[in-house]
Amino acid sequence: MIKNVKIGTHDGTFHCDEALACFMLKTLPRYKDAVIVRSRDMNILDACDIVVDVGGEYNPSMHRYDHHMRDFNESVSTVIKKPGYDWTMKLSSAGLIYCHFGHEVIKHLIPQANDSDVEMIFKHIYDTFIKEIDGIDNGVTMFNEEPVYRIVTDLSSRVKLLNPAWNSKDINIDSQFFKAVELTGKELVQHINYVANAWLPAKSIVQEAIDKRFEVDPSGEIIELLQFVPWSEHLYAIEKEQNVQPPLKFVIFGNGANYRVRAIPVAPDSFVCRLFLPESWGGLHDEELVSVSGIKDAVFVHSKRFIGAHLTREGAITMARKALEIGKAI
């Protein structure tokens, strides 16, 4: 008789981290048909093949993945002891399972990905998805100066709402937990597919733009994207990897009818830019902007000066060049 594989987790109120941990495990062939057992009874948990978020033990060799112990302080950097895995935030059960099984999960979901792609997807998914869950579950303060992690999904709050309310009747909490497993899993798969199929292929386009930056302007501080792609994180990574100097200041992109000049921010999602468009241009449109800037067919500059537009590619490059000239003169 074939023994049923069992995944153990705690019963009662459930959270995003163990729901997602269970989903990740069940994507893998060896746990695909596993029964999820919800209990705090150690005799029951000891009979499980793998236990997450309960049990008072972190022991990968025994497949025990709890994170609630007083002395638990594991992070990505301590679990995956390799260069480039530098996150130091305390892990939840989702982060623990992701560290130990995430590469395998990604490879299973994106079988065409090579090892290098899997590493890049793993890191991006941790930084933009799993870290949020780790931070919320562990009560990590979100802000020092820049956010320690960013809220991208608020998945933890949506899982919380699946728990039966205090005055609900005839609601099976285990059934609600499996809804949470499905919800968290659907979101993870969606993010992995986006990163693998949209975000990752954009890197080569950003790389080409950086390689050709001196063809756009002799300063080397303006790049042109031949098509709009998610560019900012790739740009920072390439600058760091290749020691791009001087630092890039503006990105040009457009669709043939309208071209944008985007000032490069100091960090992803920030509106503080390395060099803003000129103060005198801020909030102006059309004829008024043309008059002040001296650039024919200029369309607008946002009042916060992080982005502007021109009718033509050449005009957008001219806006960026003039912004560089004015900025360096100040």
Side-chain angles (χ1 to χ4, degrees):
M1 183 176 179
I2 298 175
K3 171 181 173 288
N4 285 328
V5 175
K6 295 178 182 178
I7 300 170
T9 191
H10 63 80
D11 57 9
T13 300
F14 51 82
H15 308 97
C16 186
D17 66 321
E18 78 266 18
L20 181 57
C22 288
F23 176 85
M24 286 190 279
L25 291 172
K26 284 182 70 66
T27 63
L28 302 175
R30 63 188 176 280
Y31 295 116
K32 177 177 178 292
D33 299 317
V35 176
I36 296 177
V37 178
R38 302 187 70 234
S39 177
R40 293 183 185 274
D41 185 326
M42 287 307 301
N43 290 322
I44 294 173
L45 293 172
D46 286 343
C48 293
D49 298 271
I50 185 167
V51 177
V52 300
D53 208 46
V54 70
E57 183 180 11
Y58 169 54
N59 185 345
S61 66
M62 298 297 292
H63 287 318
R64 293 314 188 244
Y65 300 97
D66 196 7
H67 70 109
H68 293 103
M69 299 76 73
R70 180 188 290 269
D71 61 350
F72 180 90
N73 216 12
E74 301 293 338
S75 64
V76 174
S77 65
T78 63
V79 175
I80 304 177
K81 299 175 182 178
K82 292 170 59 178
Y85 291 83
D86 302 325
W87 294 276
T88 58
M89 182 183 292
K90 181 179 174 180
L91 297 170
S92 69
S93 63
L96 268 179
I97 293 300
Y98 188 70
C99 283
H100 286 281
F101 299 92
H103 292 85
E104 189 179 352
V105 169
I106 293 165
K107 189 65 178 176
H108 185 73
L109 293 173
I110 312 292
Q112 71 274 21
N114 59 35
D115 290 345
S116 176
D117 289 346
V118 169
E119 288 238 344
M120 288 189 67
I121 294 167
F122 179 98
K123 292 175 181 178
H124 191 70
I125 289 292
Y126 182 78
D127 203 42
T128 62
F129 185 86
I130 304 291
K131 183 167 67 171
E132 171 189 333
I133 297 165
D134 286 348
I136 291 171
D137 193 77
N138 285 308
V140 176
T141 301
M142 188 175 178
F143 288 91
N144 291 325
E145 293 178 0
E146 287 292 319
V148 175
Y149 58 94
R150 299 179 187 275
I151 301 295
V152 178
T153 68
D154 203 17
L155 190 58
S156 296
S157 293
R158 286 183 281 143
V159 168
K160 183 178 180 180
L161 288 173
L162 287 172
N163 281 281
W166 68 271
N167 56 352
S168 60
K169 297 179 181 178
D170 301 323
I171 294 180
N172 186 302
I173 192 169
D174 288 341
S175 296
Q176 293 299 105
F177 173 74
F178 290 118
K179 290 180 183 178
V181 172
E182 182 180 6
L183 172 66
T184 57
K186 182 177 180 181
E187 194 113 1
L188 175 66
V189 171
Q190 183 179 30
H191 275 72
I192 288 176
N193 281 330
Y194 169 79
V195 171
N197 299 316
W199 179 82
L200 186 58
K203 184 176 184 181
S204 62
I205 294 172
V206 178
Q207 179 70 69
E208 181 179 9
I210 291 175
D211 290 343
K212 294 182 177 180
R213 64 192 183 279
F214 291 103
E215 297 177 20
V216 177
D217 185 73
S219 70
E221 295 175 71
I222 304 168
I223 66 168
E224 180 186 7
L225 295 174
L226 297 181
Q227 61 187 106
F228 183 77
V229 295
W231 56 269
S232 62
E233 288 158 320
H234 293 309
L235 182 146
Y236 300 126
I238 292 168
E239 279 188 325
K240 183 177 180 181
E241 291 165 5
Q242 301 176 9
N243 192 28
V244 173
Q245 294 294 333
L248 303 170
K249 303 301 191 303
F250 295 103
V251 177
I252 309 295
F253 55 88
N255 57 15
N258 194 290
Y259 287 81
R260 298 296 173 102
V261 184
R262 177 64 163 97
I264 295 173
V266 296
D269 302 321
S270 176
F271 286 105
V272 177
C273 298
R274 292 173 173 177
L275 181 65
F276 285 97
L277 291 167
E279 186 174 1
S280 62
W281 300 1
L284 302 184
H285 293 255
D286 303 319
E287 291 85 358
E288 191 176 7
L289 178 58
V290 170
S291 175
V292 172
S293 68
I295 301 172
K296 182 182 176 182
D297 293 328
V299 176
F300 84 92
V301 170
H302 194 282
S303 61
K304 299 299 184 182
R305 300 185 288 123
F306 67 91
I307 195 166
H310 196 281
L311 290 178
T312 69
R313 169 186 177 272
E314 292 75 15
I317 293 172
T318 299
M319 288 178 72
R321 286 175 176 167
K322 195 158 189 178
L324 272 177
E325 179 185 333
I326 293 171
K328 290 179 178 180
I330 295 174

